[in-house]
Amino acid sequence: MTTLAWLTSALVGFASLGQEILWVRIAGFANGNSPQTFALVLSLFLFGIVLGSLAGKRACENRLLTAIRTFGARSLVLSGIIDLATPWLVMQAAGGLFLTPLMSCLIIATAASKAALFPVVHHLGGHLGSADTGRSIARVYFANIVGATLAPLLIGFWWLDLMTSQSLMLALGAIMLATGGMMAPQFSWRLTLALSGLAVLSTTVLMPRQTALLEALAAPSPGQSIGFLLENRHGIIHTLVRPDTDEAVYGGNIYDGKINIGLIDNSNRIDRVYLLAALHPQPRKILVIGLSGGSWTRVLAAFPSVERIDVIEINPGYITLIRGRPEVAPILRDSRVHIHIDDGRRWLRRNEAERFDLIVMNTTFHWRALITNLLSSDFLNLARTHLEPGGILAFNATGSPDALKTAAAVFSFAYRWKDSNFVYASDHNFTTPDPILARNRLSEVLSNLQINRAHDSAHASEAVSTLLSKGWIDVEDEERLAGRPLEVITDQNMITEYRYGRVVWW
């Protein structure tokens, strides 16, 4: 009985923390990883734990061990059924008004059905009334901690590279069924539930469509289809394709750009990186933070003076995406392009001696979780120390006026390019490049990309003229447009995520 209590305690701890990890990912994918996601999932889990623990406590009051084991087995079977049904239920509700309440109820249910076992295993494994009651209960509790510790290690750092969230959720459901079989007091029930759990686990591992849940939550509109979908421990990447348009890239179910390098087409506002060819006369070393679909790096590699490009990307899945897209695949064969799988901030700190003429970040939306790491004055000061004299930092403010205020607090010159969300900052005034030299450099870039063919040269010239004619928005202009005093973003205040961010639950 003691061994059974220890094993059940460990498996329930493992499954509970595992489901919490998976729910944070699924809920985050459903809402674009808003900062509120983790807090909401955690709150619902804790509420479920309270309900389940109360139910388990009542089941253990003045009952025989057989009745307690029966209650525990039923709770485990219920937990397994909830986990097994969750992917299908969420897929049915995806894109509808009932998705949020359904997911909330499922989170509470999966937490409660597992938490009900906590009093049960302590009742079964604790030598109540004996001299070693405290020690026996501590051992059961320790087993639960071991299981809960293994879940983030195995699932978060290993299994998510091998299986999808959907498959892992089903696998945890199968484990709960099999554990319910061990807990059941009757042999026939033990065998039936254990075999059922093993059957579901085998099916989960071998199932052909492990991405059906994510495909449903990605919710392609009519006429769209998913061209690429990859999930790993770093996140989820997918693309949406539509006839006669460029393939759109999504990271964590949020728009992340398009596969396009053409200035004439400009479907992904790639003119914002072409502009750098006009602003900096001869960039030799470039740092790109965020690879995404590779379009921006592909254009930067066409700058005639470039000798080296370092790209920092936290998710290696983008390399797989790029490898299958001929427009951007050349960067993987370019000896000047060096891709580092790392966090941008960490890489800069580890490479203090590196200096760059351009640092480019096509940053994700300013309201997403953890984006402060790339928008705060703390980070911009770090980036500034990695710029060569005359170097330029360019990043996407994605509509946050405080991002320009923050850049202006760090750099001597900081402006937002008119009619765009991009901020350009430097310690020298870069806003008045020589128009003739700028046009020549842009023509060289187009020529190197081999997209300035004779039949579209007129359109290319017009696109260059439009690019060079736009003006700049300074901090004072931005403040008038915002209609409020602008603030400096710091690691501590995180204002783009909470005070001025977009509140998105699911």
Side-chain angles (χ1 to χ4, degrees):
M1 188 68 67
T2 300
T3 303
L4 174 64
W6 290 352
L7 182 58
T8 302
S9 181
L11 290 174
V12 168
F14 181 86
S16 184
L17 261 291
Q19 287 290 4
E20 187 174 351
I21 292 169
L22 297 176
W23 268 114
V24 169
R25 169 162 288 208
I26 292 169
F29 187 77
N31 71 10
N33 193 28
S34 73
Q36 297 83 16
T37 300
F38 178 78
L40 179 59
V41 172
L42 179 60
S43 298
L44 293 171
F45 251 90
L46 292 176
F47 181 62
I49 288 173
V50 170
L51 296 180
S53 298
L54 287 174
K57 172 182 176 295
R58 291 175 182 171
C60 293
E61 292 175 348
N62 303 318
R63 292 199 181 185
L64 298 174
L65 288 180
T66 301
I68 294 174
R69 286 186 63 177
T70 299
F71 171 83
R74 288 173 178 173
S75 297
L76 287 165
V77 171
L78 175 62
S79 176
I81 292 173
I82 291 169
D83 295 344
L84 292 171
T86 288
W88 183 83
L89 291 172
V90 173
M91 280 188 278
Q92 303 312 305
L97 296 176
F98 294 104
L99 179 61
T100 295
L102 173 66
M103 293 175 76
S104 300
C105 291
L106 288 172
I107 291 173
I108 293 172
T110 190
S113 59
K114 294 175 178 63
L117 270 295
F118 202 61
V120 170
V121 293
H122 282 85
H123 197 89
L124 297 177
H127 303 159
L128 304 182
S130 65
D132 66 338
T133 298
R135 181 182 300 173
S136 61
I137 290 177
R139 287 171 176 167
V140 176
Y141 189 63
F142 178 73
N144 184 265
I145 292 174
V146 170
T149 302
L150 286 174
L153 294 175
L154 294 178
I155 294 176
F157 289 97
W158 183 21
W159 291 348
L160 275 172
D161 276 338
L162 305 175
M163 301 170 67
T164 64
S165 300
Q166 170 186 319
S167 300
L168 286 168
M169 187 167 281
L170 295 176
L172 292 176
I175 290 173
M176 289 297 93
L177 278 182
T179 309
M182 293 191 304
M183 180 67 71
Q186 297 178 354
F187 177 77
S188 59
W189 280 106
R190 293 184 201 175
L191 183 62
T192 301
L193 292 173
L195 291 177
S196 298
L198 291 174
V200 173
L201 181 61
S202 301
T203 304
T204 299
V205 174
L206 299 174
M207 65 189 300
R209 287 193 70 222
Q210 298 187 16
T211 58
L213 174 60
L214 298 178
E215 290 172 11
L217 290 174
S221 59
Q224 283 184 325
S225 61
I226 294 178
F228 175 90
L229 196 154
L230 184 147
E231 180 178 12
N232 56 28
R233 64 188 174 93
H234 302 278
I236 303 166
I237 304 167
H238 76 278
T239 67
L240 295 179
V241 296
R242 186 193 296 268
D244 303 321
T245 61
D246 295 313
E247 189 173 13
V249 181
Y250 289 76
N253 209 17
I254 287 292
Y255 177 75
D256 209 14
K258 290 185 177 180
I259 306 294
N260 169 60
I261 61 173
L263 178 60
I264 299 171
D265 182 357
N266 201 29
S267 63
N268 52 350
R269 289 303 311 272
I270 204 163
D271 56 348
R272 295 169 294 180
V273 71
Y274 275 93
L275 178 65
L276 289 168
L279 300 182
H280 196 293
Q282 283 190 319
R284 296 184 303 104
K285 291 184 64 179
I286 299 176
L287 175 66
V288 179
I289 300 179
L291 176 63
S292 186
S295 298
W296 287 54
T297 302
R298 177 78 174 92
V299 172
L300 288 168
F303 284 22
S305 57
V306 168
E307 298 173 2
R308 181 184 176 96
I309 299 178
D310 286 286
V311 183
I312 315 301
E313 175 53 58
I314 202 166
N315 192 336
Y318 283 108
I319 297 176
T320 305
L321 168 66
I322 292 169
R323 190 173 289 119
R325 273 68 190 166
E327 304 96 316
V328 291
I331 64 174
L332 301 180
R333 302 187 296 269
D334 193 329
S335 60
R336 300 170 302 161
V337 177
H338 304 266
I339 300 175
H340 312 273
I341 304 302
D342 203 346
D343 172 76
R345 198 161 180 163
R346 180 172 59 188
W347 190 90
L348 287 173
R349 285 175 173 165
R350 289 178 174 177
N351 295 270
E352 295 180 356
E354 295 291 341
R355 297 292 181 272
F356 302 94
D357 300 300
L358 297 175
I359 298 179
V360 184
M361 303 188 299
N362 192 6
T363 325
T364 189
F365 290 93
H366 66 274
W367 49 263
R368 296 185 73 187
L370 306 179
I371 191 57
T372 300
N373 286 326
L374 294 178
L375 292 180
S376 69
S377 58
D378 308 74
F379 175 77
L380 296 187
N381 271 304
L382 176 63
R384 182 172 177 263
T385 64
H386 287 268
L387 282 174
E388 293 279 9
I392 300 173
L393 168 68
F395 67 95
N396 199 342
T398 65
S400 169
D402 300 294
L404 177 56
K405 173 74 172 182
T406 306
V410 174
F411 293 90
S412 302
F413 299 88
Y415 303 92
R416 177 169 62 83
W417 195 35
K418 199 169 184 179
D419 300 327
S420 82
N421 287 319
F422 241 70
V423 171
Y424 300 79
S426 179
D427 284 329
H428 83 288
N429 192 348
F430 52 84
T431 58
T432 55
D434 184 293
I436 297 177
L437 294 177
R439 180 177 286 275
N440 290 338
R441 286 196 293 270
L442 286 165
S443 297
E444 285 188 78
V445 174
L446 291 169
S447 177
N448 290 340
L449 289 170
Q450 298 180 347
I451 56 176
N452 186 15
R453 296 177 293 274
H455 67 275
D456 60 19
S457 59
H459 291 91
S461 179
E462 181 182 351
V464 169
S465 298
T466 301
L467 184 148
L468 295 175
S469 65
K470 292 182 180 179
W472 299 94
I473 302 293
D474 60 20
V475 175
E476 290 74 20
D477 294 331
E478 192 76 297
E479 194 162 70
R480 283 194 294 271
L481 291 170
R484 63 171 174 84
L486 301 182
E487 302 178 47
V488 174
I489 306 164
T490 68
D491 286 350
Q492 286 70 41
N493 63 33
M494 304 176 74
I495 58 174
T496 63
E497 296 179 44
Y498 294 98
R499 187 180 304 172
Y500 301 120
R502 189 179 78 172
V503 178
V504 180
W505 293 109
W506 290 337

